């Protein structure tokens, strides 16, 4: 059996891929460094203005990799796209997210993403959680490093913490980028000759005329985590004033809206959780 056939018979790694910086870097590691089959998943949110751009970005990157690295044709499976609207949020997962949100706010994707995994019997999907990510800080006290069967090290939530909301929420995920930040990814990608592919990635949720807006959460993270060059200068200026004057007001307003909703409903519920 030749090497390409051996590679294609290895167990595929499930990867949440958005066409963004972190998940694309992980895709490159799996395909070009570890040479393992990859099944990419994309959960489509039809309410997000960037959805079409993200799908186009992934198609463009996939086509480029298949042309530049012929072995990728055997390893990169078609993207499995599912709609967020079709995901029924599991109540145990929703309750875990509500409990965590009493301490720190994380997005509602952490209700439907683990619910999707649970309902589809996906027991390990890789996420691009990295240093400076809120989820990295949440998981860190419960993290367990392990050797993946395909020959690399990764991180997951230790089953010894099964009684915690962190385990109930993040038990379905592997975190292979747990010990690296965005700038470190930039350096590693440059050293491996992947910079051109990384420059093809997309991150903004609310693009303006096809360019990053500078004020959505991914744009802010991109700027604050050392990759401001990826946001146009004019939008960086807007972002500066937004982060300095408008953003500090958002958390108090979010807490106030949550309290009002809870008082009307008569019971606590995190925004966006418990609904498909």
């Amino acid at each position: 059996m030749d090497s390409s056939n051996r590679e294609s018979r290895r167990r595929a790694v499930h990867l949440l891929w958005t066409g963004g910086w972190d998940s694309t870097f992980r895709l490159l590691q799996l395909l070009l460094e570890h040479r393992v089959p990859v099944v990419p998943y994309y959960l489509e949110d039809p309410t997000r203005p960037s959805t079409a751009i993200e799908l186009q970005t992934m198609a463009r990157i996939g086509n480029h990799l298949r042309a530049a690295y012929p072995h990728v044709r055997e390893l990169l499976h078609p993207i499995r796209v599912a709609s967020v609207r079709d995901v029924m949020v599991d109540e145990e997962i929703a309750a875990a997210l509500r409990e965590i949100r009493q301490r720190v706010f994380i997005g509602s994707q952490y209700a439907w993403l683990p619910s999707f995994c649970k309902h589809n019997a996906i027991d390990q999907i890789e996420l691009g959680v990295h240093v400076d990510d809120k989820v990295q800080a949440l998981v860190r006290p419960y993290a367990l490093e392990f050797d993946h069967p395909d020959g690399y090290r990764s991180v997951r939530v230790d089953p010894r913490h099964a009684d915690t909301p962190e385990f109930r929420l993040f038990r379905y995920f592997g975190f292979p980028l747990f010990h690296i930040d965005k700038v470190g990814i930039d350096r590693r990608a440059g050293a491996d000759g992947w910079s051109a592919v990384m420059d093809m990635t997309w991150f903004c949720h609310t693009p303006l005329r096809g360019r990053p807006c500078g004020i959505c959460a991914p744009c802010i993270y991109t700027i604050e985590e050392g990759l401001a060059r990826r946001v146009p200068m004019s939008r960086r200026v807007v972002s500066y004033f937004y982060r300095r004057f408008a953003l500090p007001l958002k958390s108090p307003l979010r807490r106030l809206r949550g309290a009002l909703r809870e008082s009307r409903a008569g019971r606590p519920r995190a925004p966006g959780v418990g609904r498909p």
Side-chain angles (χ1 to χ4, degrees), residues 10-31:
R10 298 171 75 179
R11 180 181 176 184
V13 174
H14 299 282
L15 173 69
L16 182 70
W17 188 29
T18 64
W21 184 260
D22 314 310
S23 61
T24 298
F25 176 72
R26 184 56 186 162
L27 181 76
L28 296 176
Q29 285 187 314
L30 291 168
L31 294 175

Side-chain angles (χ1 to χ4, degrees), residues 17 19 24 27 57-65 197 200-201:
W17 188 29
T24 298
L27 181 76
T57 296
M58 288 185 287
R60 187 166 62 252
I61 292 173
N63 290 337
H64 171 81
L65 291 175
V197 179
M200 298 168 67
T201 60

Side-chain angles (χ1 to χ4, degrees), residues 11 14 41 114-124 172:
R11 180 181 176 184
H14 299 282
Y41 289 81
S115 295
F116 172 81
C117 293
K118 183 174 183 178
H119 296 321
N120 289 277
I122 301 172
D123 61 359
Q124 193 76 191
Y172 304 96

